[in-house]
Amino acid sequence: MKKMEQLYEGKAKKVFKTDDENLYIVDYKDDATAFNGLKKGQIAGKGVVNNKMSNFLMQIMEKNGIPTHFVEEISDRETVVKRVEIVPLEVIIRNIAAGSFSKRFGVEEGKKLNCTTLEYCLKNDDLGDQIIAIGAATKEDLDTIADLTFKVNDVLKAYFESVNIELVDFKIEFGKTPDGQIILADEISPDTCRLWDATTHEKLDKDRFRRDMGNVEEAYAEVFKRLGL
Ligand code: TMP
């Protein structure tokens, strides 16, 4: 496998083409941003932690019947993934109120929600129709995405519970393979999940960076350790 030209540089990752047209290489950076890039910084070692953690969790998803882009980890920061076209949606699951949900609805952070909520990045009641209307996804794709997202939540939540971590909420993204299959893409990491110690409720995720709470690297390392990595 040969790493070829860079295709894209995002806030936390770079994506490269390879000599196989159906495979890309993702390269995880230590860069961290918040508030749509207004706040910028670095979290030392984050790229390594997120690469390995995301790969570990993607493989758990695969074992539970959820198709993902994961192919092979080739270095501390680099992973081979399937080529997909990213569905332009951020899909968010919430088990416990926090972050923008708490702000929007005036619900205190930490309140367990009566039911798990699923939202897409544009927050709107008619969103399902809007997404289809603007062509971001088809009705069938959205049904698949919603089903897979709830499944991801069930598996991920149970897994984190087994290491005494509460899965408060998370954001995932999906991609479409050249043959039209919807698969889990992007990453699953403390950048994209809210993870709290189940006993102390201490935050073990990127909120420590967003909110200038300190001990950011230590929090990522703690999750890493609990997953046995
Ligand atoms: P929110 O409460 O700020 O809407 O965030 C919900 C979840 O989505 C939380 O786990 C953090 C994650 N998230 C991202 O992964 N990327 C983002 O750009 C934002 C705003 C949130």
Side-chain angles (χ1 to χ4, degrees), residues 75-105:
S75 77
D76 279 357
R77 290 175 184 272
E78 293 168 305
T79 293
V80 179
V81 297
K82 292 177 190 155
R83 169 163 75 100
V84 293
E85 198 156 317
I86 292 288
V87 178
L89 297 175
E90 296 195 332
V91 189
I92 296 168
I93 280 272
R94 299 179 192 272
N95 296 305
I96 295 172
S100 71
F101 184 95
S102 290
K103 278 220 178 80
R104 258 182 292 147
F105 299 114

Side-chain angles (χ1 to χ4, degrees), residues 73-192:
E73 187 173 297
I74 53 168
S75 77
D76 279 357
R77 290 175 184 272
E78 293 168 305
T79 293
V80 179
V81 297
K82 292 177 190 155
R83 169 163 75 100
V84 293
E85 198 156 317
I86 292 288
V87 178
L89 297 175
E90 296 195 332
V91 189
I92 296 168
I93 280 272
R94 299 179 192 272
N95 296 305
I96 295 172
S100 71
F101 184 95
S102 290
K103 278 220 178 80
R104 258 182 292 147
F105 299 114
V107 183
E108 92 182 276
E109 280 210 328
K111 186 182 179 313
K112 193 176 177 315
L113 299 173
N114 292 336
C115 63
T116 299
T117 70
L118 181 146
E119 56 192 71
Y120 300 102
C121 66
L122 300 164
K123 286 135 182 152
N124 185 301
D125 286 343
D126 298 327
L127 190 64
D129 289 344
Q130 288 184 17
I131 288 169
I132 295 161
I134 63 174
T138 64
K139 170 86 177 75
E140 291 70 34
D141 290 346
L142 271 192
D143 287 346
T144 306
I145 285 172
D147 284 353
L148 288 174
T149 301
F150 281 114
K151 234 190 221 175
V152 168
N153 185 47
D154 289 343
V155 176
L156 206 55
K157 192 161 159 277
Y159 196 82
F160 275 121
E161 266 167 21
S162 75
V163 295
N164 204 44
I165 288 175
E166 276 178 333
L167 179 62
V168 174
D169 57 31
F170 63 88
K171 183 270 299 180
I172 48 179
E173 295 179 24
F174 290 88
K176 206 174 224 190
T177 60
D179 60 5
Q181 193 193 9
I182 296 279
I183 64 176
L184 184 59
D186 194 50
E187 68 180 271
I188 308 174
S189 73
D191 273 20
T192 60

Side-chain angles (χ1 to χ4, degrees), residues 5-51:
E5 81 259 28
Q6 183 176 304
L7 202 66
Y8 171 78
E9 176 160 6
K11 292 171 192 160
K13 300 187 283 296
K14 296 176 185 174
V15 182
F16 295 84
K17 281 189 174 180
T18 70
D19 54 356
D20 181 333
E21 63 165 6
N22 288 315
L23 299 175
Y24 287 159
I25 290 174
V26 188
D27 192 334
Y28 286 76
K29 308 190 286 185
D30 286 351
D31 297 349
T33 63
F35 317 118
N36 290 324
L38 275 176
K39 180 181 172 75
K40 286 192 178 71
Q42 292 238 317
I43 300 172
K46 172 170 86 77
V48 175
V49 168
N50 284 5
N51 182 38

